[in-house]
Amino acid sequence: MYLPSKGTAPFFKVTVFEQEHFQGKCKEFTSECCNIHDCSLDNIRSIRVESGAWVGFEHHDFQGQQFILERGEYPNWEACSGSLSYHIERFMSLRPIHCASHNNSRMKIFEKENFIGRSTELCDDYPSLVAMGWIKPEVGSMHVQCGAFVCYEYPGYRGQQYIMESERHSGDYQHWKTWGSHCQTPKIQSIRRIRH
């Protein structure tokens, strides 16, 4: 859904452009857009996040690879994808990430699916779960008690990204297949809080 600006800056605000380097047709969003074609855009190739944190998806209806978009400018695909080897050149849907103050962010990760096995509670950024004492390179399930986190496939915040929010699924991600439509593996090796 496209909502025009009302003259006051909403908590969530992003401007998207059809071409790289903030060129071409543009639209401003203050809420989710499940299909950019419904908003008279062909694609999204550059983005300015003015407030809040957003997640961009490679397909319509919030499907496919996810990318965290925090406050700042993303003039091209490389700025959005970072060190991710997976390559697409546009977003087709996006939505704001609703989360509490990052000071209260908490999540619990479990060794196995359905919240079984060894567990640990997280409330900070962890560039390497193994370095903090997590034995396996996988996480079987997780519960986000408060806030939102980005989980990464590899240490150092690299690889596939999965956005985990207390506001979605009641914070329960009981199986790695619920992490996103593109998820192929339970491998999670670094996690960081989403701040906004």
Side-chain angles (χ1 to χ4, degrees):
M1 165 189 322
Y2 168 67
L3 295 177
S5 175
K6 303 269 191 239
T8 59
F11 185 68
F12 293 104
K13 185 178 177 185
V14 64
T15 305
V16 300
F17 299 81
E18 281 191 321
Q19 300 301 320
E20 292 185 348
H21 303 287
F22 318 111
Q23 300 295 310
K25 191 187 290 186
C26 68
K27 293 277 186 185
E28 181 181 283
F29 293 92
T30 57
S31 65
E32 69 183 30
C33 172
C34 65
N35 183 341
I36 56 110
H37 290 154
D38 293 344
C39 300
S40 302
L41 292 172
D42 290 328
N43 56 55
I44 299 172
R45 292 185 189 257
S46 56
I47 299 173
R48 280 194 182 111
V49 178
E50 297 178 45
S51 59
W54 294 73
V55 56
F57 296 85
E58 71 174 315
H59 299 300
H60 302 292
D61 301 317
F62 316 115
Q63 299 295 307
Q65 180 67 44
Q66 306 169 20
F67 296 90
I68 181 71
L69 302 165
E70 294 173 287
R71 189 179 180 129
E73 294 189 342
Y74 301 87
N76 55 35
W77 170 247
E78 288 76 22
C80 296
S81 63
S83 60
L84 185 63
S85 60
Y86 185 85
H87 186 73
I88 62 171
E89 293 186 352
R90 69 192 186 296
F91 293 117
M92 299 306 285
S93 58
L94 72 157
R95 66 171 174 77
I97 299 170
H98 297 276
C99 62
S101 165
H102 69 272
N103 293 331
N104 298 325
S105 297
R106 288 186 325 279
M107 77 180 302
K108 195 169 194 177
I109 59 174
F110 296 83
E111 182 180 25
K112 298 179 181 176
E113 299 164 4
N114 300 313
F115 316 113
I116 297 172
R118 181 175 175 242
S119 67
T120 194
E121 189 165 297
L122 308 175
C123 59
D124 207 346
D125 296 343
Y126 299 92
S128 171
L129 292 182
V130 172
M132 66 158 251
W134 191 255
I135 297 169
K136 294 181 167 190
E138 297 93 18
V139 172
S141 53
M142 58 187 78
H143 173 70
V144 181
Q145 297 150 318
C146 187
F149 292 82
V150 186
C151 299
Y152 296 85
E153 185 178 11
Y154 301 115
Y157 314 120
R158 296 177 300 111
Q160 303 281 343
Q161 301 176 16
Y162 309 103
I163 315 302
M164 309 296 179
E165 304 165 74
S166 61
E167 299 285 326
R168 298 218 175 252
H169 308 288
S170 301
D172 290 337
Y173 297 87
Q174 66 186 34
H175 189 282
W176 57 269
K177 290 181 180 176
T178 62
W179 298 350
S181 65
H182 67 290
C183 188
Q184 307 279 324
T185 174
K187 187 183 286 187
I188 296 290
Q189 295 187 30
S190 55
I191 297 174
R192 71 177 179 83
R193 295 174 296 165
I194 295 175
R195 299 166 171 86
H196 67 81

